[in-house]
Amino acid sequence: MEAGLKSFLEQLPSTKLAKVYGKVTKVVGMTIESSGPLSNLGDICVIYGKQSQCRAEVIGFREGYLILVPLGEMGDIGPGADVLAMHGRLAVHCGAGLLGRIVNGLGEPMDGLGPLCDVFTREVEQAPLHPLRRRRIERPIQTGVRVIDGLLTIGDGQRVGIFAGSGVGKSTLLSMIARGTEADVNVIALVGERGREVREFIERDLGETGLKRSVVVVATSDQPALIRLKAAYVATTIAEYFRDEGMHVNFMMDSVTRFAMAQREVGLAAGEPPTARGYTPSVFAALPKLLERTGPGESGTITAFYTVLVDGDDMNDPIADTVRGILDGHIVLSRKLANAGHFPSVDVLSSVSRLFSTVADKRHQEAAKQARTWLSRYRDVEDLLRIGAYRQGADRDTDLAIEKVPDVNQLLVQETDDLTEIATTVERLAQVTGV
């Protein structure tokens, strides 16, 4: 009896003995103003309509009123609707029970397979890992894609951006990496995707085998901006859980651009001034906080691939420029190569892995350097070759490049189901280059 009373008294100070309500005073666009309840920035509230209810997040304050953005449809909310403070932030289920499951932007199951089992909750707003607690990146990780494993080798725990315009093969490349990786778990975030493409990616690109060791977080383009925004944080939190368990996680997010657009919508609704191309200051503050959460940890690692949709193939877009400066490398997809039927359409000369020299051995580095040299020399005279203006014998090194580039391209072109082990890729590259 005394033990039970002691436990009750210990829990009493943190127990909410009364429910605190506020009232809706105004709805403008996607924002709701409320007079109370007393809440902090980022807290979750529940708004009760006549027939339905919805959750909302506190994103700001204006003249003593709360500014909330709904985490769902507003439904039949009207003036004077009750707003209940939950006194906490958004949390997501984490655990082994997530493997093979598809969840929405709030971490709730949407695959019709019932509730999640063997999970616990974890807040989605987390600080990046302390830089001195991260392990160094020293070993390569296999992706199964020859152009990446051979010429743009990725380290275990590296963060890479995939930059491309629309329709150049970003999603297909992600699916190849998901199926060909040697990581323990895939965590895939589809942020702002077309509804039609979600099932296609899961069934056609990822496949049953890939899904078994994956967690897919989906927030389609028709959903509210805050849900699209939270999907990125939910997926990152799930990846962090598996990393903290000592696993090697392959994290893929498509796309950072749509995350930034959702953050812009929320920022504008909160009254922020637009800056570069209409993006608000909070966008450029949120990007490093999100992207720095992945990478190596104390025991496990998160190798991250972020796609960036560049408008009009403009690599100097504000979002592309910011992301490129944060990440540890970038893979550029070329529309010219895609139109020529060269897939994956990776522009090797415009792409770089900042850890290539760290994770690749000497022979591998020499072979990759030789292949890049040939590709560069061939590009310099490509237009002359097309019009017949180049005279063979004018430059010995260029003649060799013209002879060898078809062999290099034959190695780099790859069918989506033709996944190759990294050791095989390096050996074939060495044979082609004669190193």
Side-chain angles (χ1 to χ4, degrees), residues 17 26 72 103 110 117-118 141 181-182 187 208 210 215 225 247 251 255 289 311 338 345 352 371 390 408 417 423:
L17 300 179
K26 186 190 294 185
V103 299
M110 57 178 293
C117 302
D118 192 19
I141 190 169
T181 184
E182 60 183 359
V187 178
E208 185 178 350
V215 182
M247 296 184 184
F251 179 81
S255 70
K289 289 181 180 178
D311 292 333
S345 55
V352 66
Y390 177 76
V408 174
D417 56 352

Side-chain angles (χ1 to χ4, degrees), residues 267-286:
L268 290 172
E272 286 188 72
T275 53
R277 294 201 186 178
Y279 289 103
T280 57
S282 64
V283 174
F284 302 102

